[in-house]
Structure formats: structure tokens, C-alpha cells
Amino acid sequence: MLVWGCCCSLLTGTAAARNPRSVFQGNPHDKFGSNSLAYSFFPLINNGFGIEYDRLLTPKTGRHWLKIAPTYYTTLSYATLRKTDIKRLRGFSVGAYHRYNYYEIEDVGFQLFLMWGLNYEQNRLLAHDLTTTSIRKIGFDLMLGFRQIIAKPLYFDFVLGYGNRFLLDKSYGYDGPALNPLPDGSLPEVTGKAYDANMFDYGYGGPVLSLNLTLGFIF
């Protein structure tokens, strides 16, 4: 009987090692909660303040989540120094994503996931020469990431993947004193800035590197 008991204990331990889910007893989402709220660091590059809210859609398996990610853009951010030609910036973006957890180790609070979704963004920028640029664009992202619980309820996420941005509209204007007419009576043509120097710029359209780092809490 003693030998049989030792064999059963060994087999149980081996099964638990192969299936990390069996280590943590209870509902699959008990370790990770049913909701999470996080601060998003990547938008700081573009003077953005971003948050992310995740909601568990499948409590029985804990695998499918809905993520809503709004961002507010403003020149109040310290990152304004990155663009010395911007006098004022106002805008927002919002993304909706599906997150699928395909692997997790519950006893250490670790998850690997795939995430995909759509986003919309619009901004209005005023340059120091008082020309304005209004930009609207949509996009999609496909990302791979991981979540690690630091000390419950705190956690951090890191995601990396591919995305694309499509310009819906880019228009230019002038927000200064009245312009003097030209000799023929017409007004001077106003040309704003494109803001499309690289894939992280406000007016860029095309393939992008989708990445982010967030810090938040589960509940």
C-alpha cells in the first residue's frame, strides 16, 4: 500500500507539471480576476494619456476578454518637447480588442495571449506659425503579449505585433490674425504640416509596429 501511495503521488505531481491549470484549484479566472484597469505608457510618446479596461467574457474558461482602450492627446504632457513645432494639440483615440489567453500558469500569475482589434483616432494640431492640421484615421492591430501579476492585484502587460493605419481625412487651416489679400484680391494659400515623418507620427498612414506596456490592477 505504501508503494501504491507513492506511485499515485508521483503520477499526480507529473500531471500537474504538464498541466499548469491543475496547480491552482478553483475557477480559472480566480487568479486573474474578471476585470482589469491599467495605465498605458506607450501613448506618452505622442503626448497621450491612455487607459485600458479589460472585461472577462467567458468566466468558465477565463480565455476570452474584451479590451477598451481610450487615449486623450494634449500638449499638457511633458512629451511635448518631442515636437517643438506644436503649440497646441487636442485629440483622442479609442480601440476595441479581443484578447485570447492561450496559455497560463496560474500559480505564478502568468498568461500568454493573442490580441486583435480596431481603433479610431482624430487630432487637431496648431503649429507655432498658427497653421492647423486636422487628422482622422482608422486602423487595426494584431499582437502577441503576456501578462504577469506582480503582487495581486497589481500586474503588467507587454504586447508587440503588427498594425496598419489608414488616413480618412487630413485638412489644413489657419488660426491666426486675418491674412492680407494678395494683389489680385485672393487670400494667401495656407499650408499646414503633414506630421508624417515616421510610423508613430500623428498623420502617418501605413504599416506600424504595435507595442505597449501597461501597469494596472485586477478586480
Side-chain angles (χ1 to χ4, degrees):
M1 291 299 293
L2 179 61
V3 174
W4 175 252
C6 291
C7 291
C8 289
S9 298
L10 180 61
L11 290 174
T12 303
T14 303
R18 292 180 178 177
N19 181 13
R21 276 188 168 274
S22 65
V23 176
F24 182 80
Q25 298 300 320
N27 292 328
H29 64 284
D30 286 347
K31 186 72 174 182
F32 300 97
S34 298
N35 303 270
S36 65
L37 185 65
Y39 180 77
S40 181
F41 288 95
F42 183 72
L44 287 173
I45 296 177
N46 277 344
N47 303 337
F49 175 79
I51 60 174
E52 296 185 356
Y53 171 71
D54 290 38
R55 172 66 182 176
L56 179 62
L57 300 178
T58 54
K60 290 186 178 180
T61 64
R63 292 191 179 276
H64 297 274
W65 294 68
L66 172 66
K67 179 188 293 289
I68 302 297
T71 300
Y72 173 62
Y73 296 96
T74 174
T75 43
L76 295 178
S77 170
Y78 289 112
T80 301
L81 296 177
R82 191 183 71 86
K83 285 285 188 181
T84 56
D85 58 339
I86 297 177
K87 183 177 181 180
R88 187 175 67 245
L89 164 66
R90 292 291 184 273
F92 75 92
S93 67
V94 61
Y97 302 92
H98 177 257
R99 177 162 66 89
Y100 174 70
N101 299 328
Y102 65 90
Y103 179 79
E104 60 188 39
I105 307 177
E106 294 179 0
D107 57 337
V108 297
F110 177 80
Q111 290 179 322
L112 287 174
F113 58 83
L114 288 170
M115 189 167 70
W116 56 88
L118 304 174
N119 54 72
Y120 171 82
E121 179 179 336
Q122 69 175 47
N123 287 293
R124 187 176 188 272
L125 303 99
L126 174 67
H128 286 287
D129 62 4
L130 302 182
T131 58
T132 63
T133 305
S134 297
I135 302 164
R136 294 189 305 118
K137 58 185 180 180
I138 59 173
F140 70 86
D141 296 289
L142 176 62
M143 296 169 282
L144 176 67
F146 70 87
R147 171 169 295 190
Q148 177 64 60
I149 296 179
I150 304 170
K152 196 172 181 180
L154 295 178
Y155 74 90
F156 73 90
D157 281 355
F158 178 76
V159 296
L160 178 67
Y162 169 81
N164 208 309
R165 301 294 180 264
F166 305 93
L167 287 173
L168 296 176
D169 179 66
K170 184 186 292 186
S171 58
Y172 306 105
Y174 178 71
D175 196 13
L179 297 172
N180 295 322
L182 297 174
D184 61 359
S186 63
L187 292 176
E189 182 179 356
V190 175
T191 303
K193 301 180 183 299
Y195 297 107
D196 58 359
N198 57 67
M199 69 174 64
F200 301 120
D201 225 336
Y202 304 99
Y204 172 83
V208 298
L209 178 66
S210 300
L211 59 91
N212 201 7
L213 175 67
T214 62
L215 178 64
F217 63 94
I218 59 177
F219 56 99

